[in-house]
Amino acid sequence: MKFTFAHNNLNVLNLEKSLAFYKEALGLVEVRRKEKPDFTLVFLGDEVTPHKLELTWLKDRTTPYNLGDNEIHLAFVVDDFDAALEKHRAMNCVCYENPGMGVYFINDPDGYWIEILPVR
């Protein structure tokens, strides 16, 4: 028996704001959408790997999500780490830098952290 990753899910408060962020910050593109009366699912991909990020928008949600200690995060590898860091600083979304480990984190509009790693 073999399991493979399909997708990760994040619930978002403002779908359009989140879609714009993931496109600008990480170059993710919409690959599939499912519209229902109460919610919308949008699957984003990097156009390289089969893994997807599913954004769920609950249409009646009006308050931000409680992320607790926010110890869960996504991680992306980037081929030009310095350029990515410069871009994310300009977007004002860098929330934590760890030069000793050679990584940094950005946060999306809902406060989810995303780790950015160089190719190793």
Side-chain angles (χ1 to χ4, degrees):
M1 183 178 329
K2 181 173 174 66
F3 293 90
T4 57
F5 273 107
H7 66 267
N8 290 87
N9 170 263
L10 297 176
N11 283 21
V12 299
L13 189 59
N14 181 319
L15 182 60
E16 294 310 314
K17 187 175 182 179
S18 293
L19 289 172
F21 171 83
Y22 281 99
K23 181 176 184 176
E24 181 180 356
L26 300 168
L28 299 183
V29 298
E30 183 174 329
V31 296
R32 187 164 50 107
R33 182 182 287 241
K34 181 180 253 188
E35 296 276 355
K36 295 292 184 180
D38 298 336
F39 66 90
T40 298
L41 305 177
V42 177
F43 292 85
L44 304 176
D46 60 15
E47 299 185 296
V48 178
T49 65
H51 193 86
K52 303 293 178 260
L53 175 60
E54 175 189 27
L55 300 181
T56 299
W57 174 46
L58 302 176
K59 295 177 181 178
D60 63 350
R61 179 81 183 205
T62 59
T63 58
Y65 288 93
N66 179 351
L67 302 183
D69 291 334
N70 202 14
E71 293 294 325
I72 296 171
H73 66 272
L74 302 174
F76 285 81
V77 174
V78 65
D79 61 350
D80 190 339
F81 185 83
D82 293 331
L85 180 55
E86 183 178 319
K87 175 189 181 92
H88 292 143
R89 283 180 178 154
M91 291 177 64
N92 198 31
C93 63
V94 175
C95 58
Y96 182 74
E97 294 183 53
N98 189 332
M101 290 189 67
V103 302
Y104 68 93
F105 290 81
I106 60 176
N107 56 356
D108 82 351
D110 291 281
Y112 294 107
W113 282 32
I114 302 158
E115 183 178 6
I116 307 298
L117 305 131
V119 174
R120 299 184 201 234

